């Protein structure tokens, strides 16, 4: 399932996704950044290196990847994470707001 609307809210510190079956779900930029599945982030986790996130972290840009995902770029320079729709839905459903 794909959201019907995607937008940055609250000064780009959160992503609001509107799903056809449950309405709007919000995901904070910090949660999205920590949830990145980029190879560099997986390696960091495996190596036990803590990710330090600035309180000013925000999403700089959203790029659609075909019809199946988004690539998010963050203010800390990270721009390699691809977030498929099912993964975004999973993140949104963990802490619905």
């Amino acid at each position: 399932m794909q959201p019907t609307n995607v937008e940055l809210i609250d000064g780009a510190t959160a992503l609001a996704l509107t799903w056809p079956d449950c309405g709007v779900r919000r995901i904070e930029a910090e949660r999205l950044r920590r949830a990145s599945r980029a190879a560099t982030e997986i390696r960091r986790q495996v190596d036990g290196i803590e990710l330090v996130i600035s309180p000013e972290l925000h999403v700089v840009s959203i790029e659609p990847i075909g019809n199946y995902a988004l690539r998010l770029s963050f203010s800390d320079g990270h721009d390699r994470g691809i977030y498929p729709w099912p993964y975004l839905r999973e993140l949104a459903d963990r802490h619905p707001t």
Side-chain angles (χ1 to χ4, degrees):
M1 181 179 306
Q2 185 172 338
T4 58
N5 190 50
V6 175
E7 66 180 307
L8 291 172
I9 59 172
D10 296 339
T13 61
L15 189 64
L17 300 120
T18 305
W19 300 94
D21 64 334
C22 66
V24 178
R25 293 289 187 265
R26 170 191 176 110
I27 310 173
E28 300 296 325
E30 179 179 349
R31 186 160 26 127
L32 289 163
R33 177 64 179 87
R34 289 189 186 283
S36 175
R37 291 181 171 171
T40 55
E41 294 305 299
I42 301 299
R43 180 82 252 166
R44 180 190 51 73
Q45 292 169 9
V46 167
D47 291 344
I49 300 169
E50 181 182 352
L51 176 62
V52 177
I53 293 183
S54 165
E56 291 86 30
L57 180 79
H58 60 278
V59 178
V60 175
S61 66
I62 301 171
E63 176 187 350
I65 304 296
N67 288 323
Y68 74 94
L70 296 176
R71 179 189 321 260
L72 303 177
S73 296
F74 295 89
S75 58
D76 67 355
H78 180 69
D79 63 357
R80 296 292 175 203
I82 294 177
Y83 298 78
W85 299 129
Y87 187 51
L88 286 168
R89 180 60 184 262
E90 177 186 327
L91 291 172
D93 286 347
R94 282 187 201 163
H95 305 284
T97 55

